[in-house]
Amino acid sequence: MKPVVVLVGVMGAGKSTVGQVLAQRLEKPLRDTDEDIVATAGKPISDIFVDDGEDHFRSLERAAVKAALETHDGVLALGGGAILAPETRELLKGHRVAYLEVGLADAVSRVGLGAGRPLLAINPRATLKHLLDLRRPLYEEVATIVVPTSGRATDDIAAEILHQL
Ligand code: S3P
């Protein structure tokens, strides 16, 4: 069993909202590795970062992504930083991976003040710019479909992904 499509992109790219529409259209469940990590740890992501540190979060994330890639028959949304792990990028080979591409202005307006996203607790705009610059090549490396999302409606983005699947 493997996901119908895996969604990647930076925070604010719209993975959750686009994922919901895709899941409805495909009549398949949506799974989000952030939610799996919260369930495993028994606490919110910001508490994991504060109590246990980012390295611990990343190790939970690698395990969550691996498990979901092996078992989930539906739409799978990965946390924005999941692709930082070389082993995760390796695991993504052979999957259909849609990279939701977003410009800085749209990403900033979608995440607002970054509530619940520990990496954006300070200076969300500068941090997002940094993360976008750093991670863009990694998203492009794993993507089989690249979908521009800036200024576009969720339905339109989902339709393009469905068309390309
Ligand atoms: C992160 C993105 C978040 C979450 C965590 C770290 C990142 O997921 O996994 O806060 O490193 O970009 P979303 O992209 O779903 O917000």
Coordinates of all heavy atoms in Angstrom, one line a residue, residues 38-100:
V38 N 2.3 14.3 16.9 CA 1.6 14.8 18.1 C 1.0 13.6 18.8 O 1.1 13.5 20.0 CB 0.6 15.8 17.7 CG1 -0.3 16.2 18.8 CG2 1.3 17.1 17.2
A39 N 0.4 12.7 18.1 CA -0.2 11.5 18.7 C 0.8 10.6 19.4 O 0.6 10.2 20.5 CB -1.0 10.7 17.7
T40 N 1.9 10.4 18.7 CA 3.0 9.5 19.3 C 3.6 10.2 20.6 O 3.8 9.5 21.6 CB 4.1 9.3 18.3 OG1 3.6 8.8 17.1 CG2 5.2 8.4 18.8
A41 N 3.8 11.5 20.5 CA 4.5 12.2 21.6 C 3.5 12.5 22.7 O 3.9 12.7 23.8 CB 5.2 13.4 21.1
G42 N 2.2 12.6 22.3 CA 1.2 12.9 23.3 C 1.3 14.4 23.7 O 0.8 14.8 24.8
K43 N 1.9 15.2 22.9 CA 1.9 16.7 23.1 C 2.1 17.5 21.8 O 2.5 16.9 20.8 CB 3.0 17.0 24.1 CG 4.4 16.6 23.8 CD 5.3 16.9 25.0 CE 6.7 16.2 24.8 NZ 7.5 16.4 26.0
P44 N 1.7 18.7 21.9 CA 1.8 19.6 20.6 C 3.2 19.7 20.2 O 4.2 19.6 20.9 CB 1.2 20.9 21.1 CG 0.6 20.8 22.4 CD 1.2 19.5 23.0
I45 N 3.4 20.0 18.9 CA 4.7 20.2 18.3 C 5.6 21.2 19.0 O 6.7 21.0 19.3 CB 4.6 20.5 16.8 CG1 4.1 19.3 16.0 CG2 5.9 21.0 16.2 CD1 3.8 19.4 14.6
S46 N 4.9 22.3 19.4 CA 5.7 23.4 20.0 C 6.3 22.9 21.4 O 7.4 23.2 21.8 CB 5.0 24.7 20.2 OG 3.6 24.4 20.4
D47 N 5.5 22.0 22.1 CA 6.0 21.4 23.3 C 7.2 20.4 23.1 O 8.1 20.4 23.8 CB 4.9 20.7 24.1 CG 3.9 21.7 24.7 OD1 4.1 22.9 24.5 OD2 3.0 21.2 25.4
I48 N 7.1 19.7 22.0 CA 8.2 18.8 21.6 C 9.5 19.6 21.4 O 10.5 19.2 21.9 CB 7.9 17.9 20.4 CG1 6.5 17.2 20.5 CG2 9.0 16.9 20.1 CD1 6.1 16.4 19.3
F49 N 9.4 20.7 20.6 CA 10.5 21.5 20.4 C 11.1 22.1 21.7 O 12.3 22.1 21.9 CB 10.2 22.7 19.4 CG 10.4 22.4 18.0 CD1 9.5 21.5 17.3 CD2 11.4 23.0 17.2 CE1 9.7 21.3 15.9 CE2 11.6 22.7 15.9 CZ 10.7 21.9 15.2
V50 N 10.2 22.6 22.6 CA 10.7 23.2 23.8 C 11.3 22.1 24.8 O 12.3 22.3 25.3 CB 9.5 24.0 24.5 CG1 10.0 24.5 25.8 CG2 9.1 25.2 23.6
D51 N 10.5 21.1 25.0 CA 10.9 20.1 26.0 C 12.1 19.2 25.5 O 12.9 18.8 26.3 CB 9.8 19.1 26.3 CG 8.6 19.9 26.9 OD1 8.7 21.0 27.3 OD2 7.5 19.3 27.0
D52 N 12.0 18.8 24.3 CA 12.9 17.7 23.8 C 13.9 18.1 22.7 O 14.8 17.4 22.4 CB 12.1 16.5 23.3 CG 10.9 16.1 24.2 OD1 11.2 15.8 25.3 OD2 9.8 16.2 23.7
G53 N 13.6 19.3 22.1 CA 14.5 19.8 21.1 C 14.2 19.4 19.7 O 13.4 18.4 19.5
E54 N 14.7 20.2 18.7 CA 14.3 19.9 17.3 C 14.9 18.5 16.8 O 14.2 17.9 16.1 CB 14.9 21.0 16.4 CG 14.5 20.8 14.9 CD 14.8 21.9 14.0 OE1 15.2 23.0 14.5 OE2 14.7 21.7 12.8
D55 N 16.1 18.1 17.3 CA 16.6 16.9 16.8 C 15.7 15.7 17.2 O 15.5 14.8 16.4 CB 18.0 16.6 17.5 CG 19.1 17.4 16.9 OD1 18.8 18.1 15.9 OD2 20.2 17.4 17.4
H56 N 15.1 15.8 18.4 CA 14.1 14.7 18.8 C 12.9 14.8 17.9 O 12.4 13.7 17.4 CB 13.8 14.9 20.3 CG 12.8 13.8 20.7 ND1 13.2 12.5 20.8 CD2 11.5 13.8 21.1 CE1 12.2 11.7 21.3 NE2 11.2 12.5 21.4
F57 N 12.4 16.0 17.6 CA 11.3 16.1 16.7 C 11.6 15.5 15.4 O 10.8 14.8 14.8 CB 10.9 17.6 16.6 CG 9.8 17.8 15.5 CD1 8.5 17.6 15.8 CD2 10.2 18.2 14.2 CE1 7.5 17.7 14.8 CE2 9.3 18.3 13.2 CZ 7.9 18.1 13.5
R58 N 12.8 15.8 14.9 CA 13.1 15.3 13.5 C 13.2 13.7 13.5 O 12.9 13.1 12.5 CB 14.5 15.9 13.0 CG 14.5 17.4 12.8 CD 13.5 17.8 11.7 NE 13.4 19.2 11.7 CZ 12.4 19.9 11.1 NH1 11.4 19.2 10.5 NH2 12.4 21.2 11.1
S59 N 13.6 13.2 14.6 CA 13.7 11.7 14.7 C 12.3 11.1 14.7 O 12.0 10.1 14.0 CB 14.7 11.2 15.7 OG 14.0 10.7 16.8
L60 N 11.4 11.7 15.5 CA 10.0 11.3 15.4 C 9.4 11.4 14.0 O 8.6 10.6 13.5 CB 9.1 12.1 16.4 CG 9.5 11.9 17.9 CD1 8.6 12.9 18.7 CD2 9.2 10.5 18.4
E61 N 9.8 12.5 13.4 CA 9.3 12.8 12.0 C 9.8 11.8 11.0 O 9.0 11.3 10.2 CB 9.7 14.2 11.6 CG 9.2 14.7 10.3 CD 9.5 16.1 10.0 OE1 10.6 16.6 10.1 OE2 8.5 16.9 9.7
R62 N 11.1 11.4 11.1 CA 11.6 10.4 10.2 C 10.8 9.1 10.3 O 10.4 8.5 9.3 CB 13.0 10.1 10.4 CG 14.0 11.2 9.9 CD 15.4 10.8 9.8 NE 16.0 10.5 11.2 CZ 16.5 11.3 12.0 NH1 16.5 12.6 11.7 NH2 16.9 11.0 13.2
A63 N 10.5 8.7 11.6 CA 9.8 7.5 11.8 C 8.3 7.6 11.3 O 7.8 6.7 10.7 CB 9.8 7.1 13.3
A64 N 7.7 8.8 11.6 CA 6.3 9.0 11.1 C 6.2 8.9 9.6 O 5.2 8.3 9.1 CB 5.8 10.3 11.7
V65 N 7.1 9.5 8.9 CA 7.1 9.6 7.5 C 7.3 8.1 6.9 O 6.5 7.7 6.0 CB 8.1 10.5 6.9 CG1 8.2 10.4 5.4 CG2 7.9 12.0 7.3
K66 N 8.2 7.4 7.5 CA 8.5 6.1 7.0 C 7.3 5.2 7.1 O 6.8 4.5 6.2 CB 9.7 5.5 7.8 CG 10.1 4.1 7.3 CD 11.4 3.8 8.0 CE 12.1 2.5 7.4 NZ 11.3 1.3 7.7
A67 N 6.7 5.3 8.3 CA 5.5 4.4 8.6 C 4.3 4.8 7.7 O 3.7 3.9 7.1 CB 5.0 4.6 10.1
A68 N 4.1 6.1 7.5 CA 3.0 6.5 6.6 C 3.2 6.2 5.2 O 2.3 5.8 4.5 CB 2.8 8.0 6.8
L69 N 4.5 6.3 4.7 CA 4.8 5.9 3.3 C 4.5 4.4 3.1 O 4.1 4.0 2.0 CB 6.2 6.3 2.9 CG 6.5 7.8 2.7 CD1 8.0 7.9 2.5 CD2 5.7 8.3 1.6
E70 N 4.7 3.6 4.1 CA 4.6 2.2 3.9 C 3.1 1.7 4.0 O 2.8 0.7 3.4 CB 5.4 1.5 5.0 CG 6.9 1.4 4.7 CD 7.7 1.0 6.0 OE1 7.1 0.7 7.0 OE2 8.9 0.9 5.8
T71 N 2.3 2.5 4.7 CA 1.0 2.0 5.0 C -0.2 2.8 4.5 O -1.3 2.3 4.4 CB 0.8 1.8 6.5 OG1 1.0 3.1 7.1 CG2 1.8 0.8 7.1
H72 N 0.0 4.1 4.2 CA -1.2 4.9 4.0 C -1.7 4.9 2.6 O -1.0 5.3 1.6 CB -0.9 6.4 4.4 CG -2.0 7.3 4.2 ND1 -3.2 7.1 5.0 CD2 -2.3 8.4 3.4 CE1 -4.1 8.0 4.6 NE2 -3.5 8.8 3.7
D73 N -2.9 4.5 2.4 CA -3.6 4.5 1.1 C -4.4 5.8 1.0 O -5.6 5.7 1.3 CB -4.4 3.2 1.0 CG -5.2 3.2 -0.3 OD1 -4.8 3.9 -1.3 OD2 -6.2 2.5 -0.4
G74 N -3.8 6.9 0.6 CA -4.6 8.1 0.5 C -3.7 9.2 0.2 O -2.6 9.1 -0.4
V75 N -4.1 10.4 0.7 CA -3.3 11.6 0.5 C -2.4 11.8 1.8 O -2.9 11.7 2.9 CB -4.2 12.9 0.3 CG1 -3.3 14.1 0.1 CG2 -5.1 12.7 -0.9
L76 N -1.1 12.1 1.6 CA -0.2 12.2 2.7 C 0.5 13.6 2.7 O 1.2 13.9 1.7 CB 0.9 11.1 2.7 CG 1.9 11.1 3.8 CD1 1.2 10.9 5.2 CD2 3.0 10.1 3.6
A77 N 0.3 14.4 3.7 CA 0.9 15.7 3.8 C 2.1 15.6 4.8 O 1.9 15.1 5.9 CB -0.1 16.7 4.3
L78 N 3.3 16.0 4.3 CA 4.5 15.9 5.2 C 4.7 17.3 5.8 O 4.5 18.3 5.2 CB 5.7 15.6 4.4 CG 5.7 14.2 3.6 CD1 7.1 13.9 3.1 CD2 5.2 13.1 4.5
G79 N 5.3 17.4 7.0 CA 5.7 18.6 7.6 C 6.7 19.3 6.7 O 7.5 18.6 6.0
G80 N 6.8 20.6 6.7 CA 7.7 21.3 5.8 C 9.1 21.0 5.8 O 9.8 21.1 4.8
G81 N 9.6 20.5 7.0 CA 11.0 20.2 7.1 C 11.4 18.7 6.9 O 12.5 18.3 7.1
A82 N 10.4 17.9 6.6 CA 10.6 16.4 6.6 C 11.7 16.1 5.5 O 12.4 15.1 5.7 CB 9.3 15.7 6.2
I83 N 11.7 16.9 4.4 CA 12.6 16.6 3.3 C 14.1 16.9 3.7 O 15.0 16.6 2.9 CB 12.2 17.3 2.0 CG1 11.9 18.7 2.3 CG2 11.0 16.6 1.4 CD1 12.9 19.7 2.6
L84 N 14.3 17.4 4.9 CA 15.7 17.7 5.3 C 16.5 16.4 5.5 O 17.7 16.4 5.3 CB 15.7 18.5 6.6 CG 15.2 20.0 6.5 CD1 15.1 20.5 7.9 CD2 16.2 20.8 5.6
A85 N 15.8 15.4 5.8 CA 16.5 14.1 6.1 C 16.8 13.3 4.8 O 15.9 13.0 4.1 CB 15.6 13.2 7.0
P86 N 18.1 13.1 4.6 CA 18.4 12.4 3.4 C 17.7 11.0 3.2 O 17.3 10.6 2.2 CB 20.0 12.1 3.5 CG 20.4 13.1 4.5 CD 19.3 13.4 5.4
E87 N 17.5 10.3 4.4 CA 16.8 9.0 4.3 C 15.4 9.2 3.9 O 14.8 8.3 3.2 CB 17.0 8.2 5.6 CG 16.2 8.8 6.7 CD 16.5 8.0 8.0 OE1 17.6 8.2 8.6 OE2 15.6 7.3 8.5
T88 N 14.7 10.3 4.2 CA 13.4 10.6 3.8 C 13.3 10.9 2.3 O 12.5 10.4 1.6 CB 12.8 11.7 4.7 OG1 12.6 11.3 6.0 CG2 11.4 12.1 4.1
R89 N 14.3 11.6 1.9 CA 14.3 11.9 0.4 C 14.5 10.7 -0.4 O 13.9 10.5 -1.4 CB 15.4 13.0 0.1 CG 15.2 14.3 0.8 CD 16.0 15.4 0.1 NE 17.4 15.3 0.1 CZ 18.2 15.6 1.1 NH1 17.8 16.0 2.2 NH2 19.5 15.4 0.9
E90 N 15.3 9.7 0.2 CA 15.5 8.5 -0.5 C 14.2 7.7 -0.5 O 13.9 7.1 -1.6 CB 16.6 7.7 0.3 CG 17.2 6.5 -0.4 CD 17.9 6.8 -1.7 OE1 18.4 7.9 -1.9 OE2 17.8 5.9 -2.6
L91 N 13.5 7.6 0.6 CA 12.3 6.9 0.7 C 11.2 7.4 -0.3 O 10.3 6.7 -0.7 CB 11.7 6.9 2.1 CG 12.4 6.1 3.2 CD1 11.7 6.4 4.6 CD2 12.3 4.6 2.9
L92 N 11.3 8.7 -0.6 CA 10.3 9.3 -1.4 C 10.4 8.9 -2.9 O 9.5 9.1 -3.7 CB 10.3 10.9 -1.3 CG 9.7 11.4 0.0 CD1 10.0 12.9 0.2 CD2 8.2 11.1 0.0
K93 N 11.6 8.4 -3.2 CA 11.8 7.9 -4.6 C 10.8 6.8 -4.9 O 10.6 5.9 -4.1 CB 13.2 7.4 -4.8 CG 14.2 8.5 -4.8 CD 15.6 8.0 -5.1 CE 16.6 9.2 -5.0 NZ 18.0 8.8 -4.8
G94 N 10.1 6.9 -6.0 CA 9.1 5.8 -6.3 C 7.7 6.2 -5.9 O 6.8 5.5 -6.1
H95 N 7.6 7.4 -5.2 CA 6.3 7.9 -4.8 C 5.9 9.1 -5.7 O 6.8 9.7 -6.3 CB 6.3 8.3 -3.4 CG 6.3 7.2 -2.4 ND1 5.2 6.5 -2.0 CD2 7.4 6.6 -1.8 CE1 5.6 5.5 -1.2 NE2 6.9 5.6 -1.0
R96 N 4.6 9.3 -5.8 CA 4.1 10.5 -6.5 C 4.2 11.6 -5.5 O 3.5 11.6 -4.5 CB 2.7 10.3 -7.1 CG 2.8 9.6 -8.4 CD 1.4 9.3 -8.9 NE 0.8 8.4 -7.9 CZ -0.2 7.5 -8.2 NH1 -0.7 7.5 -9.4 NH2 -0.7 6.7 -7.3
V97 N 5.0 12.6 -5.7 CA 5.2 13.7 -4.8 C 4.9 15.0 -5.4 O 5.5 15.4 -6.4 CB 6.7 13.7 -4.3 CG1 6.9 14.8 -3.2 CG2 7.1 12.3 -3.7
A98 N 3.9 15.7 -4.9 CA 3.6 17.1 -5.4 C 4.2 18.1 -4.5 O 3.9 18.2 -3.3 CB 2.1 17.2 -5.5
Y99 N 5.0 19.0 -5.1 CA 5.6 20.1 -4.4 C 4.7 21.3 -4.6 O 4.6 21.8 -5.7 CB 7.0 20.3 -4.9 CG 7.7 21.7 -4.6 CD1 7.4 22.3 -3.4 CD2 8.6 22.2 -5.5 CE1 8.0 23.5 -3.1 CE2 9.2 23.4 -5.2 CZ 8.9 24.1 -4.0 OH 9.5 25.3 -3.7
L100 N 4.1 21.8 -3.5 CA 3.3 23.0 -3.6 C 4.3 24.2 -3.4 O 4.8 24.5 -2.3 CB 2.3 23.0 -2.5 CG 1.3 21.8 -2.4 CD1 0.2 22.0 -1.4 CD2 0.7 21.5 -3.8

